[in-house]
Amino acid sequence: MSSLFRTTDRVLPGSTYRAVAIVTVTIIAVALSYGAITAVSGFAWWQTLLLAMFALGGAAEFTFVGVIAAGGAPILAVLAGLLVNSRNFAFGVAVGPFFPQDWRALIASHWINDESTAISRTGHNDRAKWHAFLLMGAAIAIMWPGGAMVGQWLGNVINADLLGLDAAFPIILFCLIRGDLKNRVTLSLTVIGILIAVGLTPLLPLGLGAVTSLSVFVFVAAGWAVRSFLRRRRPEGSDADQHSIGADQHGTGADQHGADADDAGIETDWPVGADHPQSATRGEGPR
């Protein structure tokens, strides 16, 4: 197990450790808010702990607690939490290229979330990305349940709504991905996703507005489909062109072969008894 969590300065720069430390502080702050909300909503400490450990997704847990606190059925709360956590599919696609294809991926997949995916983007190669992901994932796996328990025990001492601790999450995430926004395609998709989420948030239940931003991938899928269709059609025209070029080259080769035969003095279809032009060229008289 030591190789699973081994991160050294030779792999990760100091800036990655600083980013992990800053994000961890915000995670603790939001975890305190989450724990306080569960206490006010009537959740027992062990329920708060188990939800923090096994769900390990802040938005999904806030949604679950919000549905229960509003008097909703537990099954609806579970479905709402699963829908919110469906965003992890996109995160899985993002981290998949540098994930090892062995048993470690089964354990680390539980740590796929907003923060670990964003921190992994700071790596300069696949190995660095993998270690950065593990470092952030381990910090979340420890600090999120721990902070939630402290918030649960403090109970009504912390006014989560007044402090607005959960607002730190999107601010930190934006700072982590700002480098990726230099790409015009990424920036365009991000802006479209933001507009969709902001427009639908007032119309949808708590936590589901942000999930609607994933619909931006419909445009990505459409673009891939069009490009794949064009690629499938392109080889047909290219093959026809290559065949035509090959035929022209074959004809040119035949002409060149005839020219070479003439240069070599090889007789072809000359009349019997006629002087060969090559004989005159060589200064030989008629035989």
Side-chain angles (χ1 to χ4, degrees):
M1 289 293 290
S2 59
S3 62
L4 177 63
F5 301 100
R6 184 171 60 243
T7 55
T8 63
D9 286 330
R10 291 176 298 177
V11 179
L12 299 176
S15 59
T16 299
Y17 289 97
R18 289 192 295 270
V20 170
I22 294 173
V23 174
T24 300
V25 171
T26 65
I27 288 173
I28 295 175
V30 179
L32 292 173
S33 175
Y34 161 69
I37 291 175
T38 59
V40 174
S41 301
F43 282 76
W45 68 268
W46 60 270
Q47 292 174 322
T48 301
L49 178 61
L50 291 180
L51 190 59
M53 290 177 59
F54 291 103
L56 203 64
E61 292 165 51
F62 276 110
T63 301
F64 179 87
V65 173
V67 173
I68 296 297
I75 184 62
L76 295 179
V78 172
L79 292 176
L82 290 175
L83 182 58
V84 171
N85 259 4
S86 64
R87 72 191 190 281
N88 287 346
F89 174 81
F91 298 150
V93 173
V95 302
F98 63 80
F99 254 48
Q101 303 301 312
D102 53 27
W103 60 270
R104 292 175 295 174
L106 297 177
I107 298 177
S109 61
H110 185 58
W111 294 350
I112 296 177
N113 49 48
D114 313 61
E115 297 77 27
S116 59
T117 303
I119 288 293
S120 69
R121 302 283 294 174
T122 63
H124 59 279
N125 55 38
D126 288 348
R127 184 165 179 258
K129 291 178 180 179
W130 166 244
H131 283 275
F133 172 88
L134 289 179
L135 184 62
M136 189 72 259
I140 294 175
I142 296 173
M143 296 304 177
W144 177 257
M149 289 307 302
V150 174
Q152 167 78 21
W153 290 330
L154 292 178
N156 294 326
V157 175
I158 298 179
N159 189 331
D161 293 334
L162 180 61
L163 295 179
L165 297 176
D166 52 343
F169 256 154
I171 296 174
I172 293 297
L173 290 178
F174 175 79
C175 294
L176 290 174
I177 67 170
R178 71 184 188 278
D180 295 324
L181 298 181
K182 296 179 181 179
N183 183 286
R184 293 184 178 180
V185 175
T186 303
L187 177 60
S188 300
L189 294 175
T190 301
V191 171
I192 295 173
I194 291 174
L195 294 176
I196 293 174
V198 172
L200 295 180
T201 293
L203 307 176
L204 297 175
L206 177 66
L208 299 185
V211 180
T212 60
S213 62
L214 295 177
S215 61
V216 72
F217 287 103
V218 174
F219 299 97
V220 178
W224 284 345
V226 171
R227 185 172 62 178
S228 178
F229 175 76
L230 294 177
R231 285 182 176 179
R232 286 197 302 267
R233 289 180 59 86
R234 188 176 303 167
E236 298 176 0
S238 299
D239 292 342
D241 294 340
Q242 292 295 332
H243 178 73
S244 176
I245 294 173
D248 293 340
Q249 292 175 347
H250 177 72
T252 304
D255 295 340
Q256 185 65 34
H257 177 71
D260 293 341
D262 291 340
D263 292 340
I266 300 176
E267 296 183 0
T268 53
D269 298 333
W270 294 97
V272 179
D275 293 337
H276 196 282
Q278 294 295 332
S279 300
T281 304
R282 292 193 298 266
E284 299 179 0
R287 296 180 183 177

